[in-house]
């Protein structure tokens, strides 16, 4: 029998895998595609991040909101560069959730990196 965590993670992976095939067009980047890659998924499940099970579940459940935020945002709230990698952060309150979505780019290709849920 699967645990609640395993069920939520499996459901999140099915969503992520579908999203990966289509990406997201982001108005903040003039409609440029944000690629959904294994890097973002690995970032969410990385055991070295020491996130609680509750935190991981919140992030998994917020993936559809992350997609929505990237597809409706016309501006980003933060930008920084670190070791040749660019990072953009989008923040919003959506459907009662306060979330932050991180997009990164090593070259020109922008990729979803993470979603953070604030209580």
């Amino acid at each position: 029998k699967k645990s609640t965590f395993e069920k939520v993670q499996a459901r999140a992976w099915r969503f992520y895998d579908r999203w990966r095939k289509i990406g997201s067009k982001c108005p903040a980047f003039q409609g440029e595609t944000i690629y959904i890659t294994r890097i973002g998924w690995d970032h969410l499940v990385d055991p070295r991040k020491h996130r609680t099970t509750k935190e991981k579940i919140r992030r998994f459940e917020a993936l559809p909101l992350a997609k929505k935020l990237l597809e409706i945002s016309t501006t980003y709230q933060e930008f920084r560069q670190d070791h040749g990698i660019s990072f953009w952060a989008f923040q919003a309150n959506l459907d009662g959730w306060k979330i932050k979505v991180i997009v990164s780019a090593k070259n020109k290709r922008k990729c979803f990196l993470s979603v953070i849920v604030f209580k």
Side-chain angles (χ1 to χ4, degrees):
K1 187 174 182 315
K2 285 187 173 183
S3 67
T4 300
F5 174 78
E6 290 169 320
K7 288 177 188 169
V8 171
Q9 184 174 0
R11 194 168 46 245
W13 171 251
R14 286 191 300 273
F15 173 84
Y16 196 87
D17 195 41
R18 284 191 309 271
W19 186 17
R20 215 164 56 141
K21 292 176 175 92
I22 57 172
S24 284
K25 301 273 187 226
C26 186
F29 300 124
Q30 291 75 46
E32 193 176 325
T33 297
I34 304 298
Y35 293 91
I36 312 307
T37 66
R38 190 69 198 219
I39 293 167
W41 180 259
D42 289 347
H43 187 86
L44 292 174
V45 299
D46 188 344
R48 296 171 298 176
K49 299 288 184 199
H50 302 295
R51 294 186 182 112
T52 65
T53 299
K54 212 173 184 177
E55 172 65 14
K56 288 179 184 176
I57 287 173
R58 270 198 303 271
R59 288 176 184 236
F60 289 147
E61 290 177 340
L63 283 171
L65 293 174
K67 179 180 186 294
K68 181 178 179 179
L69 179 55
L70 289 175
E71 292 173 354
I72 64 171
S73 291
T74 56
T75 59
Y76 48 86
Q77 282 65 46
E78 298 171 35
F79 173 78
R80 73 180 173 87
Q81 285 187 304
D82 194 16
H83 297 95
I85 302 172
S86 299
F87 297 92
W88 295 265
F90 297 82
Q91 290 187 105
N93 290 307
L94 289 176
D95 303 342
W97 294 57
K98 183 177 180 181
I99 65 167
K100 181 185 229 179
V101 176
I102 310 298
V103 170
S104 68
K106 192 169 186 172
N107 298 313
K108 297 255 184 248
R109 192 172 135 134
K110 294 175 178 72
C111 299
F112 167 81
L113 181 64
S114 193
V115 59
I116 302 159
V117 180
F118 301 98
K119 289 186 170 186

